Amino acid sequence: SYAMRGDVENARLYMERMASQQLLPDVVSRNIVVAACAKRADFAEAERQLQQMLQDALEPNVNTYNTVLSACTQKPYYAAGWLEHMASSDIRPNESSYNTVIKAFAKAGMPEQAEEYFNNMEKAGLRPTQQSFTSVLDAC
């Protein structure tokens, strides 16, 4: 699939073809385009696609946000911002959501922020996973 290859251009082309036939994109089709963006670490386009979903009155789900978060792994503050937006949108972040942000801060060499989101994960009532601990350790 185009998403699996990170082929955003062709994925968007099919979205346009869908619209030209009066078929409205749904959450699943938008998530596929967001996944293509994430595959290329194209956080700007992933964010644009999420914004388009919101403009189209589509309800992004936890998978949508987690995919956007994964596109932002090289921009940890963007990932953190989307995590906060997710929570304020009444979509409960899950372990994967937090792990992605923790890992983004860890990769950026920001151990305090990685630990902060690790602690926020616990405060949110989520149990840290092996990946949570490994990412914080990697940041040290």
Side-chain angles (χ1 to χ4, degrees), residues 51-76:
Q51 292 291 350
Q52 187 64 51
M53 285 179 77
L54 296 170
Q55 287 175 6
D56 292 346
L58 292 173
E59 295 281 334
N61 56 34
V62 70
N63 293 329
T64 310
Y65 280 97
N66 284 348
T67 305
V68 170
L69 291 173
S70 70
C72 297
T73 56
Q74 295 177 8
K75 302 280 188 180

Side-chain angles (χ1 to χ4, degrees), residues 110-128:
M110 304 170 92
E112 293 85 8
Q113 291 83 353
E115 185 177 11
E116 176 185 343
Y117 280 90
F118 180 93
N119 293 333
N120 289 348
M121 180 182 194
E122 291 182 309
K123 288 177 191 170
L126 296 171
R127 184 173 180 217

Side-chain angles (χ1 to χ4, degrees), residues 8 30 33-38 41-53 64 67-72 82:
V8 177
R30 285 276 180 207
V33 177
V34 172
C37 299
D42 185 349
F43 71 91
E45 183 61 24
E47 290 177 333
R48 193 183 79 66
Q49 290 296 324
L50 178 54
Q51 292 291 350
Q52 187 64 51
M53 285 179 77
T64 310
T67 305
V68 170
L69 291 173
S70 70
C72 297
W82 280 111

Side-chain angles (χ1 to χ4, degrees), residues 23-44:
L23 298 171
L24 297 175
D26 60 5
V27 173
V28 173
S29 56
R30 285 276 180 207
N31 281 353
I32 290 169
V33 177
V34 172
C37 299
K39 190 78 166 175
R40 288 183 18 190
D42 185 349
F43 71 91

